[in-house]
Amino acid sequence: MNLTTREKELLQKIDSKRVPYHVAIIMDGNGRWARKRGLPRIAGHRAGVNSLKETIRIADQLGVKILTLYTFSTENWKRPSREVKFLMKLPEEYLSKEIDELCEKNICIKSMGEIAGLPDHTRKAVEEAIIKTEENTGLIVNFALNYGSRGEILRAVKKISRLVSDGSIKEDDINEDTISAFLYSGRQPDPDLLIRPSGELRLSNFLLWQMAYTEFWFTETYWPDFNKEHFLEAVLDYQKRNRRYGGLTK
Ligand code: 6TC
């Protein structure tokens, strides 16, 4: 991979034995990036896909094991319908161009959220990518699609309630691991690091249960300008922190 001098410098400072296992990212700011340049929002989304590709490459190269990506969903449907149409075509375009590289890198694509709520053609492209990559044992890339964390917790509560009422499990046997297991993230370990670009300092209904002890890293940079350097800076900053897991030994 071609790296700039700055990227090589950052890479050298990173302790390869303490790379975060699971990194979560809220890919925010495509629209604002475009407006700032007097471009249509669609140009921002295109540029955003480039940042996404770069991020997957550097995460894979660093040895991150899980990458969870979120573009919040409820807002999407309020956008002009031309933009929504374009957004729903992008995944097919992205996956058809990228699937070979993803497979070559042994990357496993997964989704979390209600993919049933996506248009048919989009859902099919996503499902196909999931099936094509399901045996891959390298980096796991979770795409949060039509996802909301409160909805995810509610869904888990309902699933557990069902099992209690049909006698499969006892109320006293429900513990924190039970709840984790019934979230979309299943038995994946919680994120170690959350990256949020674009200057917003909030969680926006993303992985509320899973991020109890996650380290947060923010940047003013809009997502389309986010690159390998930012990712490496976030990991370096993460490695300087002293994690205490709320005082629990872990
Ligand atoms: C980075 C790049 C951030 C559109 C682009 C935001 C459906 C997304 C299936 C992926 C096309 C990511 C994101 C809203 C890879 C991506 C968008 C949406 C953006 C969606 C996907 C692509 C996107 C959006 C939701 C397996 C490829 C622009 C649709 C889902 C998010 C994966 N902004 N951006 N509504 N989606 O509409 O929750 O499948 S391609």
Side-chain angles (χ1 to χ4, degrees), residues 30 45 48-49 52 71 73 76 87 90-91 126 143 145-146 223:
N30 295 343
H45 297 314
V49 173
L52 171 81
T71 60
S73 40
N76 290 334
L87 285 172
L90 254 193
V126 173
F143 283 93
L145 305 172
N146 255 335
W223 178 250

Side-chain angles (χ1 to χ4, degrees), residues 111-114 146-148 151-152 155 180 182-186 210:
S111 75
M112 43 200 305
E114 288 313 310
N146 255 335
Y147 169 90
E152 175 187 41
R155 177 176 168 273
S180 296
F182 282 93
L183 300 176
Y184 291 118
S185 41
Q210 296 92 329

Side-chain angles (χ1 to χ4, degrees), residues 57-100:
R57 289 194 190 113
I58 191 70
D60 178 52
Q61 198 199 349
L62 261 188
V64 169
K65 294 297 190 311
I66 306 176
L67 193 59
T68 300
L69 304 170
Y70 183 48
T71 60
F72 36 128
S73 40
T74 44
E75 308 234 318
N76 290 334
W77 319 111
K78 293 184 220 132
R79 289 173 182 169
S81 82
R82 256 198 37 221
E83 185 182 347
V84 170
K85 257 195 165 155
F86 173 85
L87 285 172
M88 292 307 165
K89 282 258 178 239
L90 254 193
E92 293 152 79
E93 190 187 314
Y94 163 77
L95 289 168
S96 67
K97 283 187 192 155
E98 295 303 309
I99 195 71
D100 290 346

Side-chain angles (χ1 to χ4, degrees), residues 156 159-160 175-188 209:
K159 283 178 183 275
I160 296 165
N175 57 31
E176 293 187 4
D177 289 338
T178 319
I179 296 176
S180 296
F182 282 93
L183 300 176
Y184 291 118
S185 41
R187 298 191 182 279
Q188 292 182 1
W209 174 273

